[in-house]
Every structure is written in C-alpha cells, then in structure tokens.
Amino acid sequence: MSNPAAPRPADPAPDRTEAHASSPADGVTPGARRRVVAASFIGNFVEWFDYAAYGYLAATISTVFFPATDRTTALLATFSVFAVSFFVRPLGGFVWGHIGDKVGRRSALSLSIVIMSVATFCIALLPSYEAVGLLAPLLLLVVRVAQGFSASGEYAGASAFLVEYAPEGRRGLYASVVPASTASGLLLGSLLAALLTELLSNDQMHSWGWRLPFLLAAPMGLIGRYIRLRLEDTPAFRSLEQEQDVARVPAKEMLRANRRPLLLAMGATVLNAIAFYMLLSYMPTYLSEELDFGTTESFLATTVSLAVYIVFVFCTGLASDRFGRRKLLITASVLFTLFTVPAFLLLDGAGLLTVIAVQVLLGGMLALNDGTLPSFLAEQFPTRVRYSGFAISFNLANALFGGTAAFVGTLLISWTGSGLAPAWYLAGGALVSLGAVLAAKETSREPLRED
C-alpha cells in the first residue's frame, strides 16, 4: 500500500508547449483579445479599402489625372503611380519597425492609421489634369507616397500585435484576421466602385463620382485610432519593457543576428505580393481592358472571389495551427505554379459563370497562402525585433513585386501581345516562394522566439 504522505516524484521537464503555457499572453482576458482583433481589423480595412478604390477605378482615374493619350499609356501611368508609392515602403518598414520595437506596437499602429486616413481623404480633394495640368499627377504621387509610407507599418504591426496577444495554439487563426481585414476593405471598395459605376453616368463618374470612396477614409480612420488608443501594448512587449530589454536600434540588431530569417521571409512573401494585387486589385481592369468584359461583370466576379477568400482565410489560419505553416504554404505555391496559366487560359472567351468559377479557384488558392503567411512571418523573428523583421521583409518584397504587379502585368501584355503574360509572371513568383518555404523550418508548435 502506498504511503500518501510520501513525496511525489518530480514532474518530468516540460516540453516547449508546456513551457510556453506561462507566456505573458496567457493572462489576457477574452474581452481584451476581442478589442485587439477589432483594432487590428479596422486599420488594415481602411488601408485596403483605399487600394481597392484606386485599383478598381484605375480606368477613370487615368483620365482624370493624366493627359488624353492612348488608353494603355494612361493606364500604365496610373499603375506606375500606384507602384511608385510602394518604393517608399521599405523605408517605412525601417521607421515603423523602429517605433514598434522600441516605443511599442500600439504607438506605431495608432500613428500609422492617422497618416493613412488623412492621405486617403486628400485624394478626394485633388484637382484634375484639366484644371491644373501636370501638377495634378504630381500631387497624386505625393499623396500616394504618404499612403505607402503609412501602409508599411499596418500589415506587419497588426500581425505582430495579434500573434503576441494570441492564446497558445491559436496564433495562425488570430493572425488570419489581418488578410481577412484587407480583403474586407477590397470587398467594400469593389462593391462601392460597382455601385457608383452602375448608378452614375460617365460624366458624373469623371467629375465627382470617383472621389466618394476616398472621402470615407477620414471617419473610418478616426474610429480605428480611437479603438487602438484604448488598448494596452502586447504582453510580450510589456514584458521586455519591464525587464529593460527593449532593443536600442532594432533594425541594426535584426540585420546583424537575423539575416537568414529576413531572406526567407522575403522569399516567402513574393507569392503573396504578386498574387494579392494581381488577383484582387488588378483583375477587374484585366477583365475589362484585355478580355472585353463589362465593368459591372468584372466587379461582380472579383466581389464573389473576395467573399470566398475571406471565408477561406480564416479556415486556413485555423488549419495552419493544426497542420503547420510549411505544409499549407508549400501547397499554395505548388498549386499556383501548376494551375495559374491554365486558369488564365479558361478566362479567354469564357462566359461570366466560368470567369467567376476561375476567380473563386484562384481566390481559394491565394487564401491558402495568405491565411498562413502572417503567423509564419511573425514567428521567424524574436520579440525584440519582430516588428522590424516582419515590416522590412514584407515591405521589401511588396515594393519589388506587389506594387508593380499591375504595372508589370499591363507592360508584359503590351510587350508580348499575350494575355497570358501576367499568369507566367505569377507562376514564377510562386516558385520563388516555394524555395524559401522549403528552406524554412516549422514554427507553429514552437513558442514565440524571445531571443
């Protein structure tokens, strides 16, 4: 008979999951997590609502801000302004990463949403080329650069914020809120652009109708800032502050000790950078300009694809917590490599139902990647430089491949005369990401890196 007073044998050493059970995020209440989700959602929503309005109204904007030349040249000029605004994003990644890693995630996110909202609102007030000549596209470029700078802190900051607040085993699901919020902004932008195009005449759209979506940025931005200011910073960052262990120069520390994760994160982001902008922003223009679909039909197909994408993104985030980040990212890269060109072939001469089906297929493939990517990137870097590492890698990839996707797609079609050129470009990007993910290790079941 055993002696009840005998001392219990020592518990076995906890595994990594058990050790992580005492992480700072474990004391967070469900109500606080809900506020974090709402605050992260609204900022990205405002940002991508703007990008949707610009992308979906590109044909109209090209005639407002650029001289009357041939249609392809005007579109290229419009997309080039879109692309140039991305070139400032790597700089923004360094700046916002520095603020987020040294001052705090909340401070960076509260400031970035103000700059984004003001810059977006200003677009609605810009004069046309007919009114002020070359000053019009110059002012558009300045405002887009300000937007690009502010946007460079949003996606990375919101992802780091959510991952550091997430309960154990749910980082993928929580981080999937970020791509869902971007797609929700695109969805509202698509619906509003379609509604305006349907209700207003061409003259009304060109004179004042295109300005309406950008006017909505100010109130939405104020709401987002109010929510963010009511939050505490992440438990992980507050723990660093208490230990007086905050990085003094985060970018320097990140580049010195995390070069390999930085390169892998950049490579893994290439597919997202090209596919997101090509499929969810450029596609309506591609369908209407290259395949002669009506504007309403083009918006409808993209809207259905976006709705499916939003649902799939959450499912993918949840699946990545269960099956691992690498498996889902590898699957997405392989699918894009194999099926992008056949999918674009189906679009040529297809009816509306076929176009919607292809858009849904591509949107589902993209969700498989995008629902996993934010948690994967955040897990590559330690807490001291997580914001910087994510922001710099993500924004470098997007500057090189994302913001230029619409421009490169239009240019490749012009050079080659083939409507399949964008598909080959996207498939090539998928191969780059496949190589990067294959070289990375699985991180979903490990605690967040602290050193």
Side-chain angles (χ1 to χ4, degrees):
M1 184 175 179
S2 62
N3 181 2
R8 294 178 55 196
D11 291 333
D15 62 19
R16 291 190 172 195
T17 302
E18 290 171 337
H20 190 55
S22 60
S23 69
D26 291 339
V28 178
T29 65
R33 285 198 173 103
R34 285 193 292 271
R35 290 193 296 273
V36 167
V37 168
S40 301
F41 185 96
I42 187 66
N44 283 279
F45 178 89
V46 172
E47 174 188 344
W48 297 102
F49 172 79
D50 157 63
Y51 279 103
Y54 191 92
Y56 296 150
L57 297 175
T60 299
I61 291 173
S62 66
T63 63
V64 172
F65 287 98
F66 296 95
T69 57
D70 66 276
R71 196 169 187 82
T72 299
T73 302
L75 274 176
L76 282 172
T78 303
F79 288 136
S80 67
V81 170
F82 185 86
V84 168
S85 70
F86 275 74
F87 294 154
V88 75
R89 292 183 71 156
L91 172 63
F94 280 94
V95 173
W96 294 115
H98 182 86
I99 297 172
D101 283 329
K102 187 170 183 178
V103 182
R105 281 71 160 121
R106 189 193 74 156
S107 298
L109 289 171
S110 298
L111 181 57
S112 68
I113 195 172
V114 172
I115 297 175
M116 168 59 72
S117 301
V118 171
T120 302
F121 182 78
C122 285
I123 288 183
L125 309 180
L126 294 180
S128 67
Y129 180 87
E130 184 179 358
V132 297
L134 290 175
L135 182 61
L138 180 61
L139 290 173
L140 178 64
L141 177 61
V142 170
V143 175
R144 293 297 299 182
V145 167
Q147 287 179 312
F149 177 78
S150 63
S152 60
E154 272 294 334
Y155 199 99
S159 298
F161 208 73
L162 286 164
V163 163
E164 291 178 359
Y165 258 109
E168 174 62 19
R170 287 292 182 267
R171 294 196 298 258
L173 178 61
Y174 271 66
S176 67
V177 169
V178 177
S181 65
T182 65
S184 298
L186 288 172
L187 179 59
L188 180 61
S190 171
L191 290 173
L192 186 56
L195 182 64
L196 291 173
T197 303
E198 187 69 21
L199 295 179
L200 302 180
S201 66
N202 284 335
D203 289 341
Q204 290 172 324
M205 278 295 296
H206 283 76
S207 62
W208 55 268
W210 68 271
R211 300 178 186 272
L212 295 180
F214 300 105
L215 290 173
L216 296 176
M220 290 192 294
L222 290 175
I223 293 171
R225 177 170 170 79
Y226 172 76
I227 295 174
R228 287 179 173 183
L229 288 176
R230 296 179 64 210
L231 298 174
E232 285 190 302
D233 220 313
T234 69
F237 183 79
R238 282 184 279 131
S239 178
L240 286 180
E241 285 187 313
Q242 291 168 3
E243 297 168 5
Q244 296 184 338
D245 196 31
V246 175
R248 295 182 61 187
V249 187
K252 181 179 178 180
E253 181 175 319
M254 188 272 301
L255 292 172
R256 183 181 68 243
N258 294 274
R259 286 190 293 269
R260 175 179 168 82
L262 179 69
L263 291 174
L264 293 179
M266 284 181 58
T269 305
V270 170
L271 173 57
N272 161 269
I274 300 175
F276 188 89
Y277 292 99
M278 187 169 290
L279 299 181
L280 300 183
S281 181
Y282 169 64
M283 186 58 78
T285 301
Y286 176 82
L287 291 174
S288 61
E289 296 296 321
E290 305 299 334
L291 301 182
D292 296 325
F293 274 86
T295 303
T296 302
E297 289 82 359
S298 301
F299 284 137
L300 175 62
T302 302
T303 299
V304 174
S305 176
L306 280 167
V308 172
Y309 172 92
I310 294 170
V311 175
F312 280 12
V313 154
F314 286 117
C315 296
T316 300
L318 188 61
S320 75
D321 284 326
R322 181 169 183 179
F323 302 110
R325 319 287 187 227
R326 290 178 77 251
K327 290 180 180 178
L328 273 69
L329 291 173
I330 289 170
T331 301
S333 296
V334 170
L335 290 175
F336 270 104
T337 301
L338 296 178
F339 295 113
T340 300
V341 174
F344 271 66
L345 278 171
L346 288 174
L347 291 175
D348 193 11
L352 179 60
L353 291 179
T354 301
V355 170
I356 292 175
V358 171
Q359 287 266 72
V360 167
L361 171 65
L362 292 171
M365 288 162 51
L366 180 59
L368 195 62
N369 179 84
D370 290 5
T372 310
L373 188 65
S375 53
F376 171 85
L377 295 179
E379 290 165 353
Q380 301 304 304
F381 303 97
T383 301
R384 284 167 57 93
V385 296
R386 180 165 297 121
Y387 203 135
S388 294
F390 194 133
I392 292 170
S393 60
F394 186 80
N395 286 297
L396 277 171
N398 273 275
L400 294 172
F401 301 101
T404 60
F407 179 84
V408 170
T410 304
L411 188 62
L412 287 175
I413 292 172
S414 177
W415 281 353
T416 65
S418 171
L420 290 178
W424 287 109
Y425 181 58
L426 176 52
L431 282 175
V432 173
S433 290
L434 176 61
V437 176
L438 286 172
K441 68 175 185 176
E442 182 58 57
T443 55
S444 63
R445 293 175 179 83
E446 297 184 0
L448 284 175
R449 288 180 59 193
E450 298 299 333
D451 54 21

